[in-house]
Amino acid sequence: MDSFIIKGQNKLQGTVKVSGAKNAILPIMIASLLTSGKSILTNVPSLNDLKNTAHLLRFLGAKVETELDQMAIDTVAVHHYVAPYELVNKMRASIYVLGPLLARFKYAEVALPGGCAIGTRPVDLHLMAMEKLGAKIKIEHGYISAECPDGLRGGIIEFPFITVGATANCLMAAVLAKGETLIKNTAQEPDIDSLIDCLILMGAKIEKINKNDLHVIGVDELKPFTMEMIPDRIEAGTLLLAAAITKSSITITNCEPNHLEALLIKMEQAGCRFEISSSLQGDIKQKKANQIKIHPAVSINPVDIVTEPYPGFPTDLQAQFLAYLCLARGKSHIKETIFPDRFMHVSELNRLGADIHVKDGMAIINGVSGFSGAEVMATDLRASATLVLAGLAAEGTTKISRIYHIDRGYEKIEQKLNNLGADIKRC
Ligand code: UD1
């Protein structure tokens, strides 16, 4: 198993390009199942979560080919409707195949995903949505089996709280259901907007009504698509925090500053400053902002954070921000409302010299003067990014084991950071 060895306290400088967004790409890859033909995705990074999703699509009969940052998915020969445990276990987002398979083939079997390092993660709302669209669902032998011999029918679905996964699944089912569907209290994440853009490109009829509701008119069939994937706001945020924690100034390019508003506000409260600009050529009015230069805080102010659905502060940046706040002057608080047990990284950060206590889904962080390098273990994707950030700031050497977690969601992270001046070796 690979480890990272980080020699800490190097200053970072220069420019780094943000990759395509894993959490937007996963549902879009799976949306290709809604049609028969070859769809093309561009700006696709090389990530293990995406490779696992490609395995699942191939298992179902699709052809998936990648070349540089382009992925082609041909779904003409899809003939299997089962997502087996070995694949679902590796890739929780495999549950996304439930909606598209049901909608197109009227049958789907998906292994029940178990819990994972960040919490219990139930799928009851995915199932509730499919039932409202007319599917009959049984759970047996660890598998969800769902069928709708006469096809899905439109319905009214109201989520009791915001769920990204169930919103995506429900949407992918509703676009091919007969009649109209109203989905209430949907997630607003850029990943969902990007899925909506993709489905509309495929010929779906989806309209946003109010801020949180979607109106879908089912169509008989959808067509293949070619689409560029949006930039990864979580990778962008992690890179900005890498600069902030090492008190360095860097520029991130190919990003979408609007998607990072909640993070930038909190980093400004901590004392950082940002310059947002465009690297694009052309008329000033058409130049979309796509890069951010960070000027770090010299002395970090303590900050309080509550994780919330978008546009609130993302749970996927909680761990990384927590590492940063360890070096603040004073006491900070982080309340995790999405996954209250998502604090596995705390004990590892404490091994590096942090002073953090967790109680009732809240981390209380007493600022310390610095981290001191030690051996630590990554427990999940974002927790491993946190340990990398702490290692970059630590005095001495930090060894992080089990970094396979980081390869799930960050493309060539050590290469990107080393190009900025970090000293990270994979061994
Ligand atoms: C969540 C995050 C997403 C993040 C991802 C990986 C939110 C709203 N969602 O998405 O930003 O990228 O984790 O870290 O921030 N739930 C149920 N029943 C269900 C589905 C969900 O109770 O059927 C609960 C979950 O346990 C959780 C909340 O709803 O407490 C939000 O879950 P959901 O958004 O669906 O999770 P992910 O799609 O994994």
Side-chain angles (χ1 to χ4, degrees), residues 23 121-126 161 163-165 315-316 338-339 342:
N23 288 345
R121 305 185 81 175
V123 291
D124 55 321
L125 298 175
H126 297 243
F161 47 85
T163 142
V164 176
T315 174
D316 282 348
I338 311 292
F339 299 111
R342 191 176 199 176

Side-chain angles (χ1 to χ4, degrees), residues 57-128:
L57 292 174
R58 287 191 192 105
F59 180 87
L60 299 175
K63 231 163 115 186
V64 185
E65 284 164 356
T66 42
E67 202 186 329
L68 299 174
D69 74 342
Q70 185 162 309
M71 178 183 279
I73 307 175
D74 188 338
T75 53
V76 169
V78 170
H79 61 285
H80 255 113
Y81 316 128
V82 182
Y85 184 62
E86 312 84 83
L87 294 174
V88 176
N89 193 24
K90 274 198 203 133
M91 246 321 299
R92 294 188 52 84
S94 307
I95 185 77
Y96 285 146
V97 300
L98 187 65
L101 287 180
L102 257 179
R104 187 164 152 218
F105 302 106
K106 305 184 174 132
Y107 184 79
E109 253 182 70
V110 182
L112 264 177
C116 72
I118 68 174
T120 49
R121 305 185 81 175
V123 291
D124 55 321
L125 298 175
H126 297 243
L127 305 188
M128 176 276 279

Side-chain angles (χ1 to χ4, degrees), residues 110-355:
V110 182
L112 264 177
C116 72
I118 68 174
T120 49
R121 305 185 81 175
V123 291
D124 55 321
L125 298 175
H126 297 243
L127 305 188
M128 176 276 279
M130 298 306 141
E131 279 175 337
K132 294 266 184 205
L133 294 174
K136 295 263 175 302
I137 307 236
K138 273 196 295 194
I139 297 186
E140 276 175 344
H141 311 297
Y143 274 76
I144 302 159
S145 73
E147 60 180 351
C148 53
D150 300 323
L152 293 173
R153 278 177 282 101
I156 298 177
I157 293 126
E158 180 161 8
F159 291 117
F161 47 85
I162 301 292
T163 142
V164 176
T167 299
N169 223 337
C170 177
L171 199 51
M172 289 192 279
V175 287
L176 284 181
K178 274 188 211 102
E180 297 183 31
T181 299
L182 182 61
I183 317 175
K184 295 174 112 175
N185 203 21
T186 60
Q188 304 299 304
E189 267 65 5
D191 315 324
I192 295 292
D193 281 350
S194 170
L195 174 64
I196 293 173
D197 289 345
C198 173
L199 293 170
I200 290 175
L201 258 180
M202 295 175 82
K205 292 195 175 143
I206 305 168
E207 197 192 357
K208 258 196 187 181
I209 44 172
N210 311 319
K211 212 168 91 237
N212 282 48
D213 302 342
L214 293 169
H215 178 231
V216 182
I217 302 175
V219 295
D220 291 338
E221 58 177 18
L222 294 168
K223 53 182 191 295
F225 60 91
T226 296
M227 185 173 161
E228 182 180 342
M229 300 297 107
I230 59 169
D232 194 321
R233 66 196 166 107
I234 306 302
E235 189 204 13
T238 305
L239 291 166
L240 290 175
L241 285 163
I245 206 167
T246 53
K247 308 221 166 135
S248 307
S249 182
I250 64 164
T251 301
I252 59 166
T253 62
N254 281 54
C255 66
E256 174 50 89
N258 288 333
H259 294 170
L260 287 159
E261 208 176 309
L263 173 72
L264 299 188
I265 289 171
K266 288 295 172 185
M267 289 182 79
E268 277 177 349
Q269 284 176 16
C272 298
R273 291 287 165 265
F274 299 98
E275 281 172 56
I276 295 178
S277 61
S278 175
S279 65
L280 305 170
Q281 304 293 321
D283 188 288
I284 190 93
K285 285 193 207 120
Q286 294 162 354
K287 279 169 74 168
K288 200 170 147 333
N290 69 345
Q291 54 185 20
I292 305 176
K293 180 170 187 182
I294 172 173
H295 300 282
V298 181
S299 163
I300 304 165
N301 303 321
V303 173
D304 290 343
I305 280 175
V306 179
T307 62
E308 286 170 326
Y310 189 84
F313 192 95
T315 174
D316 282 348
L317 283 171
Q318 176 259 106
Q320 300 89 314
F321 206 87
L322 196 156
Y324 181 51
L325 292 178
C326 289
L327 303 185
R329 275 179 302 108
K331 189 183 279 194
S332 305
H333 300 86
I334 296 188
K335 175 95 186 141
E336 173 58 67
T337 69
I338 311 292
F339 299 111
D341 296 329
R342 191 176 199 176
F343 285 115
M344 300 280 279
H345 40 286
V346 162
S347 49
E348 300 305 295
L349 287 172
N350 283 344
R351 295 202 73 243
L352 294 171
D355 178 1

